Every structure is written in structure tokens, then in C-alpha cells.
Amino acid sequence: MLRRAALALWFACLAGIGVAQAQNAPLTVFVVRHGEKGPEVPDPSLNETGRKRAAELARMLGDAKVTALFVTEFKRTQEFLAPLAAATGVTPVRLLARDVDALIEQLAALPAGSRAVVASHSNLVHVIVQRLSGVVLPQLTDLDYDHIVVVTVTGKEKGTAVVLRYGEK
């Protein structure tokens, strides 16, 4: 009887450790700019190169266990994450591009261990990264489509950011 109680206590402790570790799991956010876009109209779609980049992003992050997707009100961000949404079954959340506060609030509200992808714009990627992590990056130029910033945030601490490149320049 004592042996069973000791075993039950041991398993309970292990379960408690697992829960504590899960609660301390970092939030990972992949921040990208949408892919290459078509001609300058008020709300251009992705061009063929942008669609290929979107497919490459879906291939890259398809096994990353993404739990949340965020896009802006513009077609190009929605089209950009569409292949990843289809691959993961995650429905993108649409927020106004200019409302970075709402985006940061939504990301902060995600459960520990979440992995989110944010598709935004060249003038906002660096702002989002800084707000999430405290890391200062230069603003992307109009020609920068191949950057992906992996931001890791643990608890209330400032996070880290790693800039990677994918697809063709």
C-alpha cells in the first residue's frame, strides 16, 4: 500500500514538472514580409514570384507545429499565408496593419509554447520584432522579401531575434 502511494506521488511529481515546463515554454513568432506583389494598385495581389515564395514558406514551416497565423487587411499578406494555412489547418487572424498594439496583445495572449507566423509589411517588420523582443533591426527596403525573423519570447522577459533568409533574393 505504501509502495503504491509512493509510486502515485512520484508520477504526480513528474506530471507537475511537465506542466511547469509547459507553462514556461517560449512563444516563437516567425515575422515575415509578404511575398513579391503585382503592379502598384491600392491593394495588389502577389505576383508569380510572390506565390512561389509563399509556397516555400509553407514548405519551410509546414512541420514547425504552427498554432497561429496573423495577416493584415491587405490581400498580399492573406495570399502569402494561404498555402501555410492550408498545410496546417490554421485559420489566419486578420488585423489592421497599422494596429501593431492589437497584434502584440494577441501574440501575448497565446498559450505558452505557441508558434505563430505574422505576415506584415516592409515598414512594420522591424517594429513588430522590436515590440516583441527589444531587438532593434533596420527597416526592410522595398526589395527585401527574403527575410524571416524568428523571435523567441519567454515569460515577461525580452526575447531574442534571429534573422534568416529563404527563397531567392
Side-chain angles (χ1 to χ4, degrees):
M1 183 87 142
L2 190 57
R3 179 181 261 170
R4 281 189 194 156
L7 260 154
L9 181 60
W10 184 72
F11 281 118
C13 286
L14 284 179
I17 290 169
V19 169
Q21 287 174 338
Q23 290 172 344
N24 291 328
L27 167 66
T28 304
V29 183
F30 302 91
V31 185
V32 296
R33 178 188 183 192
H34 59 77
E36 291 84 345
K37 58 189 177 182
E40 289 302 320
V41 295
D43 190 9
S45 289
L46 296 176
N47 63 23
E48 182 61 28
T49 305
R51 287 189 293 278
K52 286 180 184 175
R53 188 174 303 281
E56 177 63 13
L57 182 72
R59 186 195 67 74
M60 279 180 51
L61 297 180
D63 294 330
K65 298 180 181 162
V66 171
T67 57
L69 300 173
F70 294 90
V71 296
T72 70
E73 72 273 24
F74 297 103
K75 286 189 295 191
R76 55 194 177 270
T77 63
Q78 296 164 35
E79 292 171 355
F80 193 62
L81 289 193
L84 183 58
T88 61
V90 176
T91 301
V93 174
R94 189 181 313 175
L95 299 169
L96 295 176
R98 69 178 175 269
D99 198 352
V100 176
D101 290 339
L103 172 64
I104 299 303
E105 286 175 18
Q106 293 244 356
L107 289 167
L110 293 173
S114 294
R115 294 181 182 161
V117 179
V118 174
S120 193
H121 305 275
S122 61
N123 64 330
L124 293 173
V125 167
H126 71 289
V127 174
I128 295 164
V129 169
Q130 185 171 6
R131 293 281 306 279
L132 283 171
S133 67
V135 175
V136 177
L137 298 176
Q139 181 174 324
L140 297 177
T141 71
D142 284 342
L143 301 176
D144 294 325
Y145 290 99
D146 63 340
H147 292 69
I148 181 167
V149 185
V150 184
V151 178
T152 305
V153 181
T154 305
K156 301 284 185 200
E157 302 171 16
K158 290 296 182 184
T160 62
V162 176
V163 180
L164 303 172
R165 299 201 179 212
Y166 71 106
E168 303 216 6
K169 176 79 174 139

